[in-house]
Amino acid sequence: MISAWTRKSLLAGLATATALGMAACGGGATGSGDGGIADTITIAQVQDQTGAVAYAGVGAKEGAELAIEEINEQGFLGDGVTIELEEYDTAGEIERASSEMNKAMADQNVSAILGPTQSQQAATVAPLVERMKVPTVFTQAGAEGVVINDWTFRATPPMETYYEPVLDQLEAEGAKDIAILYNATFPTFALLGEDDIPAMTEERGMDIVQSLPVQMTTQDFASQAQQIADEDPDALIMLLIAPQSVTALGQLEDAGYDGAIRATSVQAAGNISEAGDDANGLIYPVPYSTAMDTESSVAFTEAFRKKFDKEPNPYNADGYDAMWWIARAIEASGDSSREGIREGLVQIAEEGYDGAMGEVTFEGNDARVEGVLVEWQNGKERLVE
Amino acid sequence: MQDVLNAATLGSIYLLFALGMALVWGTIGILNFAHGATFMFSAFIGHLVTQRVELPMLVIVAIAVAVGAAMSALTQLLAFQPILRRAKSQHAAEMRILIGGIGIAAIPLAIAQRETRSSPFGFQSTYSAEVMEIFGLRITTTGMIIVLCGLGIGIGLTVWLRQSRRGLALRAIGVDPETTAGMGVNRPALAFGTMAVAGGLAGLAGALLTFQLGAIAPETGDQLLIKAFAIIVLGGLGSMAGTVLGAYILAGAESFVLEMNWGTWVDAVSFGLIFLILLVRPQGLLGRKEVRRT
């Protein structure tokens, strides 16, 4: 194990050294900031295509492909100007993310990067992209420490920024006692479960009567389900990854808990379907759903169905919006160099845009959406009023 | 009492998974790191089949057991046996077998991850678990099946290894494979059969755990592998009774930590406890000092 780790570290170090060396030597047109739009613009997607959360990277790739098809067919960036997507698989590993990012950054044909979807990976590479001066748009990666400099951008709003409607809805239903079951080793859920939700409940006069942290490796929830059933809170906020939530829902039912359960967008994309009837009535906020009826969301949903013959999910929407953001940035700055794209991304962020996720605004380089609440019922999402 | 019953169910989950691994490691000396992948892929095949046709629980379990046995037997035939044949001794082959197991495990894992995009998968079955209440204690029918299977197979294997001639031969291989082969024991055939049985047990565990948990992910087997490894070492390598005991001790420790609401300390406390026990008894709770494996 030590030798494998050492080898990976050496490879990552070599890749960094190569990248820094190439940058020091000057670089090609994309890095020069000379202005103008190249005939072919290469965007690197450095995200998980395999590994435990491959669904996020693969989903983003499909969304990005749809966006590229539209951009190229419309001649959005000018006649004959095309965008190409180059894939780099981070395979769910932080060290692999670092080395793949270095490879992509070292390639002077790469104008911008779609950065890793996992927060730990994204936070690791965020300082590198500033050093190498490559505009990097992250999708997902909702934790702190990702959007930290002028070269880092995020197209997916962090979960806590659209979680308020969950608490509003519970308040409207008269819920007072709230339990939280959360994966404390998942940065986004730890932040939400330990800081954001307690603050939101306090604002609304609700009480957190239980706060049950679990690990990423927790697979059986019988004990926690029993504790929750014994406490019988008005509502349970469940912040778990996809397989954990399927098990927890079944075991909560088995333990006799029949209160309201609220979850997160991780349960979207059909990730909860294996829970069957146990998932009926589950409500969670999402930045995008096929049930959304804003014009730009509907257009994306229909286009995606037509291209892929399946239902789009929030990860598809991430990739789609991120790629269109980059295209708009190039058009706005009239410059497909790395510096030109960075300037364009900032400009578009100031203006906002309508995308798959509806109206997208920004706080700095970080996307914000209102999001919607959806209820899972018999294998489908429907909007909660 | 409900907590004790929950711990017993969790212990039985761990036990079902660990039994096959303990059997091959404690007897034919193979630490099979592909056991987790066999467990997962058996359930994954069950999942693929039930996507096309809804099946009863018994049929799904039978499919998973068959897939697990076939996978494990093939692993022995195509990977471990050639490694053993080329090595000067069993001891020399151990590290290569370990690495070989990790390499083999990567293949079904990659296939399942690719097919499912690492989303959880379960079964479409005509079986649905019922919740039973016995003296005020709640347990599902699946939980009951797991407890009975875990204990039944654990005790059955213990007795078989102790009392049957083949069990004796297997234990002898665990102590000194070269001498045992010299005394006329057909080691390759026994090893092949043992691996097939262990794979079948992995398949059984995969199917039952998928029913119990509702769904598993492609990585679920890897997470259980570490726990099984700890259970076997804690119980004492070569002792099936020790594996049974180790599984329930680990589950009991984890349940206690969860009951105290120290959820993020589950692994630290549980594995810390195992470490302390091993400081006092390095050979494990029921292991013998003379049986030594890496």
Side-chain angles (χ1 to χ4, degrees):
Chain A
M1 288 300 286
I2 291 170
S3 61
W5 181 87
T6 309
R7 198 176 64 247
K8 282 179 180 175
S9 302
L10 281 170
L11 286 171
L14 275 172
T16 309
T18 310
L20 288 170
M22 289 187 73
C25 289
T30 54
S32 63
D34 292 338
I37 298 176
D39 288 343
T40 303
I41 302 160
T42 305
I43 309 296
Q45 188 205 13
V46 188
Q47 297 183 330
D48 292 350
Q49 300 301 310
T50 56
V53 287
Y55 51 83
V58 174
K61 187 182 85 170
E62 290 172 341
E65 284 172 352
L66 173 61
I68 288 171
E69 187 178 281
E70 291 176 354
I71 293 159
N72 292 347
E73 280 181 4
Q74 288 175 20
F76 182 78
L77 295 173
D79 284 344
V81 176
T82 55
I83 290 181
E84 287 180 353
L85 193 66
E86 202 166 275
E87 287 169 40
Y88 296 79
D89 182 10
T90 51
E93 296 171 6
I94 293 172
E95 63 271 30
R96 177 94 176 256
S98 180
S99 64
E100 293 299 302
M101 276 295 287
N102 277 310
K103 263 198 264 176
M105 290 187 298
D107 182 349
Q108 291 300 307
N109 290 320
V110 169
S111 301
I113 292 174
L114 292 180
T117 59
Q118 288 198 55
S119 292
Q120 294 98 327
Q121 291 181 18
T124 302
V125 304
L128 297 178
V129 304
E130 183 182 38
R131 204 180 307 154
M132 297 297 296
K133 302 197 182 312
V134 187
T136 301
V137 180
F138 296 97
T139 61
Q140 296 296 310
E144 292 174 345
V146 175
V147 183
I148 55 169
N149 53 53
D150 293 342
W151 295 83
T152 48
F153 303 82
R154 183 160 48 198
T156 312
M159 205 177 281
E160 69 271 13
T161 63
Y162 59 90
Y163 210 82
E164 294 268 359
V166 173
L167 278 300
D168 290 338
Q169 194 254 353
L170 285 175
E171 188 182 22
E173 287 190 347
K176 286 284 177 198
D177 297 338
I178 309 293
I180 306 176
L181 174 62
Y182 69 104
N183 182 332
T185 43
F186 191 85
T188 304
F189 291 157
L191 185 72
L192 207 53
E194 289 167 8
D195 298 336
D196 296 317
I197 290 175
M200 291 176 200
T201 52
E202 195 179 344
E203 282 170 16
R204 291 163 177 81
M206 298 169 167
D207 295 321
I208 303 285
V209 293
Q210 268 180 325
S211 182
L212 304 172
V214 298
Q215 300 181 136
M216 193 67 84
T217 51
T218 305
Q219 293 175 335
D220 184 87
F221 292 86
S223 177
Q224 293 91 339
Q226 196 57 55
Q227 288 178 52
I228 292 163
D230 291 344
E231 186 70 38
D232 196 22
D234 297 328
L236 166 70
I237 293 179
M238 186 182 75
L239 311 172
L240 300 175
I241 59 169
Q244 288 181 325
S245 53
V246 172
T247 303
L249 282 171
Q251 293 185 329
L252 282 161
E253 173 91 17
D254 294 342
Y257 176 69
D258 57 3
I261 303 178
R262 302 292 179 263
T264 71
S265 55
V266 169
Q267 277 66 55
N271 279 340
I272 204 68
S273 59
E274 293 294 340
D277 291 345
D278 293 333
N280 282 343
L282 185 74
I283 292 176
Y284 46 88
V286 285
Y288 163 78
S289 166
T290 51
M292 285 169 72
D293 54 9
T294 53
E295 192 181 335
S296 56
S297 302
V298 171
F300 162 72
T301 302
E302 288 175 356
F304 189 92
R305 282 175 180 153
K306 192 176 171 192
K307 179 172 172 62
F308 293 102
D309 194 25
K310 63 179 180 181
E311 292 295 294
N313 60 48
Y315 307 109
N316 303 135
D318 286 341
Y320 181 83
D321 279 357
M323 188 54 71
W324 262 110
W325 184 10
I326 292 170
R328 289 184 180 108
I330 296 168
E331 194 213 19
S333 68
D335 183 353
S336 61
S337 71
R338 291 175 174 181
E339 175 60 30
I341 292 176
R342 188 196 70 78
E343 286 172 7
L345 287 169
V346 172
Q347 189 181 329
I348 297 299
E350 284 167 0
E351 297 165 4
Y353 56 78
D354 289 336
M357 289 184 270
E359 186 184 350
V360 182
T361 58
F362 285 82
E363 273 185 27
N365 295 347
D366 212 358
R368 296 288 183 269
V369 295
E370 281 191 10
V372 290
L373 281 184
V374 292
E375 180 178 358
W376 184 264
Q377 199 65 248
N378 298 322
K380 280 189 176 171
E381 288 175 352
R382 68 169 187 83
L383 284 180
V384 176
E385 296 300 326
Chain B
M1 279 305 287
Q2 183 65 53
D3 295 325
V4 174
L5 187 60
N6 288 342
T9 311
L10 183 62
S12 302
I13 288 173
Y14 292 162
L15 178 59
L16 265 181
F17 181 87
L19 278 173
M21 200 169 150
L23 179 67
V24 291
W25 192 16
T27 56
I28 57 175
I30 287 175
L31 176 51
N32 180 12
F33 264 57
H35 191 75
T38 307
F39 155 91
M40 177 278 297
F41 205 72
S42 307
F44 177 66
I45 295 296
H47 161 74
L48 290 182
V49 173
T50 59
Q51 272 189 321
R52 284 158 184 79
V53 54
E54 202 173 78
L55 294 171
M57 183 193 212
L58 260 179
V59 177
I60 296 170
V61 168
I63 291 170
V65 168
V67 171
M71 278 181 73
S72 204
L74 280 173
T75 303
Q76 173 67 12
L77 201 65
L78 302 176
F80 297 160
Q81 194 60 42
I83 290 173
L84 281 165
R85 214 180 297 130
R86 285 172 175 80
K88 286 178 185 165
S89 66
Q90 173 92 9
H91 184 68
E94 278 175 349
M95 187 56 75
R96 278 172 254 173
I97 284 175
L98 197 144
I99 300 299
I102 293 172
I104 288 163
I107 299 167
L109 180 65
I111 294 170
Q113 283 179 332
R114 186 174 178 79
E115 289 301 311
T116 64
R117 294 183 175 186
S118 290
S119 294
F121 58 84
F123 302 135
Q124 301 293 322
S125 173
T126 51
Y127 165 81
S128 69
E130 301 290 330
V131 179
M132 298 186 293
E133 246 185 278
I134 306 165
F135 302 119
L137 302 176
R138 298 168 72 95
I139 186 168
T140 62
T141 44
T142 317
M144 184 68 86
I145 291 168
I146 285 175
V147 171
L148 292 175
C149 277
L151 278 174
I153 297 171
I155 293 168
L157 271 176
T158 305
V159 172
W160 181 77
L161 278 173
R162 281 186 186 164
Q163 298 190 352
S164 72
R165 283 177 63 83
R166 287 209 171 148
L168 178 66
L170 273 174
R171 283 188 292 133
I173 291 174
V175 176
D176 189 340
E178 283 81 18
T179 308
T180 309
M183 293 176 76
V185 172
N186 188 345
R187 193 171 146 220
L190 261 184
F192 182 80
T194 307
M195 280 291 286
V197 170
L201 287 172
L204 175 68
L208 290 182
L209 258 66
T210 307
F211 276 113
Q212 169 74 357
L213 301 179
I216 63 170
E219 299 78 21
T220 302
D222 293 344
Q223 292 163 6
L224 283 169
L225 199 67
I226 302 298
K227 291 190 192 271
F229 185 78
I231 286 166
I232 297 165
V233 173
L234 173 66
L237 182 57
S239 168
M240 294 306 287
T243 302
V244 175
L245 196 59
Y248 289 108
I249 288 176
L250 181 66
E254 287 190 358
S255 297
F256 172 75
V257 175
L258 289 172
E259 187 57 32
M260 301 305 290
N261 198 15
W262 302 332
T264 48
W265 289 88
V266 167
D267 286 347
V269 172
S270 306
F271 285 92
L273 177 71
I274 291 172
F275 173 68
L276 288 177
I277 293 172
L278 291 176
L279 276 181
V280 181
R281 277 188 69 84
Q283 72 273 35
L285 291 171
L286 302 180
R288 291 183 190 166
K289 275 187 178 174
E290 62 267 30
V291 179
R292 187 177 60 82
R293 295 267 162 241
T294 53

